[in-house]
């Protein structure tokens, strides 16, 4: 009996054509926003392999808008100058460009930006939505419940469990930051936490508390900031006033850690001799503080890339699993390893 003939898959077409799976899907199904070179490469691969597209997939693909929205829970245009968001956007844009999809940025916390996003969703002028930094009960946190377009979150909404998200191991990062300070012999460790309505900030604080609890130490030395350098400086000053004997600090972002270093210097405290400091993110600023900042590295550009990849798979009819990206400690002068 003759063995059944192998049916070529879309992944094999994409591999042979040298394009992304999403670009191959769009080219096969006659969707817009596919370059001529990619369309011709896919057509050759289809002929060579004898690929036959699924009828349902063809019907879905021809309704594509050719664009993806990146919605951010903030209304300040200066946000896009923030190195964190700049790296996320670079990662997202690279994946969408490979798939011949446009990227539309929307500041959608409130006001005109929110209305624009609602209009895009109603008119289906996008194939899907990427959501960054939803806060607490922010309406963006429940976006997947009010649209049938695929929605992927960058970071999980606080108190919600979306089907699709990409996040960093924030709790693990907080834990390894505190463990590093403990390994240096620091026992009066404080935390400069981020906003209490942001999931990433809450998880980083929990990670620090986890490490201190295992060591039998108090996790009550906490002040909050908004991820800005000024808020980090203010939080550090507050902690020094309340706990003048503290000898270690974990800041929930590099920007806040940079502010903390400034406040420690103003208070006459030496870093790392008097107080060792560890940040979070591993932004460029971490290499240029005095001293350079020990920090938890999270793969920010990869976060954007994986968000876009997940959304493209959803657009193609797949159901990918949520993804947690690993983090690692980068040791520099603000909390150097013991000799």
């Amino acid at each position: 009996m003759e063995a059944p003939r192998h049916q070529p898959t879309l992944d094999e077409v994409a591999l042979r054509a040298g394009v992304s799976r999403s670009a191959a899907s769009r080219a096969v199904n006659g969707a817009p926003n596919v370059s001529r070179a990619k369309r011709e490469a896919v057509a050759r691969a289809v002929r060579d392999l004898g690929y036959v597209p699924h009828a349902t997939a063809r019907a879905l693909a021809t309704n594509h808008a050719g664009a993806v929205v990146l919605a951010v829970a903030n209304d300040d245009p200066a946000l896009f100058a923030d190195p964190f968001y700049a790296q996320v956007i670079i990662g997202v844009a690279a994946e969408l460009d490979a798939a011949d999809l446009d990227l539309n940025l929307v500041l959608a916390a409130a006001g005109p930006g929110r209305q624009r996003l609602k209009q895009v969703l109603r008119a289906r002028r996008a194939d899907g939505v990427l959501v960054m930094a939803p806060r607490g009960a922010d309406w963006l946190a429940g976006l997947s419940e009010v649209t049938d377009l695929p929605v992927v979150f960058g970071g999980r909404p606080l108190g919600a469990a979306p089907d699709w998200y990409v996040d960093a191991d924030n709790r693990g990062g907080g834990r390894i930051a505190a463990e590093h300070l403990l390994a240096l012999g620091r026992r009066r460790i404080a935390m400069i936490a981020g906003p209490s309505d942001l999931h990433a900030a809450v998880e980083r604080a929990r990670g620090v508390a986890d490490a201190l609890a295992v060591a039998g130490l108090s996790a009550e030395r906490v002040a909050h900031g908004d991820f800005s350098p000024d808020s980090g400086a203010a939080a550090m000053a507050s902690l020094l006033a309340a706990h003048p004997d503290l000898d270690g600090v974990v800041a929930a972002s590099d920007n806040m850690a940079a502010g903390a270093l400034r406040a420690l210097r103003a208070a006459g405290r030496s870093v790392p001799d008097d107080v060792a400091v560890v940040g979070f993110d591993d932004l460029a600023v971490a290499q240029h503080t005095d001293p350079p900042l020990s920090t938890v590295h999270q793969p920010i550009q990869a976060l954007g890339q994986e968000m876009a990849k997940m959304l493209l798979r959803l657009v193609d009819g797949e159901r990918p699993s949520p993804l947690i990206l690993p983090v690692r400690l980068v040791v520099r002068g603000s909390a150097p390893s013991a000799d």
Side-chain angles (χ1 to χ4, degrees):
M1 181 176 179
E2 185 177 349
R5 185 170 179 267
H6 169 70
Q7 295 297 319
T9 67
L10 184 60
D11 287 323
E12 291 171 332
V13 171
L15 181 63
R16 191 178 188 92
V19 302
S20 69
R21 189 184 192 282
S22 181
S25 173
R26 294 172 62 76
V28 164
N29 295 297
N33 290 55
V34 182
S35 69
R36 180 177 178 180
K38 290 182 179 180
R39 198 179 294 277
E40 291 176 350
V42 171
R44 287 194 298 272
V46 167
R47 289 195 301 270
D48 292 346
L49 295 173
Y51 174 76
V52 178
H54 192 281
T56 302
R58 178 185 292 275
L60 290 172
T62 54
N63 290 324
H64 283 181
V68 166
V69 170
L70 174 59
V72 183
N74 195 296
D75 286 326
D76 184 2
L79 182 79
F80 293 124
D82 184 304
F84 176 88
Y85 285 98
Q87 289 189 48
V88 170
I89 292 169
I90 289 170
V92 169
E95 292 300 320
L96 296 185
D97 183 64
D100 292 296
L101 290 170
D102 294 330
L103 173 61
N104 296 326
L105 302 174
V106 179
L107 297 173
R114 180 181 298 191
Q115 292 306 314
R116 282 196 299 274
L117 180 56
K118 289 180 176 179
Q119 290 170 5
V120 167
L121 298 180
R122 283 196 296 265
R124 300 187 68 85
R125 295 199 301 269
D127 296 318
V129 184
L130 302 169
V131 179
M132 282 298 302
R135 296 273 187 101
D138 189 290
W139 75 284
L140 283 174
L143 191 62
S144 57
E145 299 175 6
V146 298
T147 179
D148 59 355
L149 291 175
V151 178
V152 173
F153 288 87
R156 285 162 284 180
L158 188 64
D163 290 329
W164 296 291
Y165 61 83
V166 181
D167 205 353
D169 183 9
N170 291 294
R171 189 165 186 168
R175 184 181 66 253
I176 63 174
E179 287 174 345
H180 178 64
L181 293 177
L182 291 167
L184 298 179
R186 309 302 167 119
R187 290 296 180 269
R188 298 177 297 278
I189 296 171
M191 173 73 183
I192 300 179
S196 58
D197 60 351
L198 189 64
H199 183 272
V202 171
E203 287 296 287
R204 292 172 193 181
R206 284 175 176 166
V208 172
D210 289 344
L212 295 180
V214 170
L217 300 175
S218 169
E220 296 178 354
R221 300 179 182 90
V222 180
H224 290 267
D226 62 6
F227 288 152
S228 69
D230 286 347
S231 73
M236 189 72 256
S238 173
L239 286 167
L240 286 172
H243 309 283
D245 63 341
L246 65 84
D247 60 6
V249 176
V250 177
S253 78
D254 288 345
N255 285 332
M256 292 198 299
L261 292 176
R262 190 174 74 221
L264 287 165
R265 188 180 306 112
R269 304 298 179 91
S270 172
V271 177
D273 294 338
D274 297 331
V275 182
V277 179
V278 179
F280 204 113
D281 285 333
D282 199 19
L283 301 175
V285 66
Q287 301 179 47
H288 302 296
T289 55
D290 182 21
L293 187 64
S294 291
T295 186
V296 176
H297 173 90
Q298 64 166 325
I300 303 172
Q301 189 167 321
L303 177 72
Q305 290 174 318
E306 294 300 334
M307 288 171 62
K309 287 179 181 178
M310 186 173 291
L311 187 65
L312 293 173
R313 292 180 64 188
L314 287 167
V315 170
D316 285 344
E318 300 181 32
R319 292 185 64 85
S321 298
L323 181 63
I324 302 292
L325 300 176
V327 299
R328 59 183 172 83
L329 182 70
V330 177
V331 176
R332 298 191 181 100
S334 69
S337 296
D339 294 332

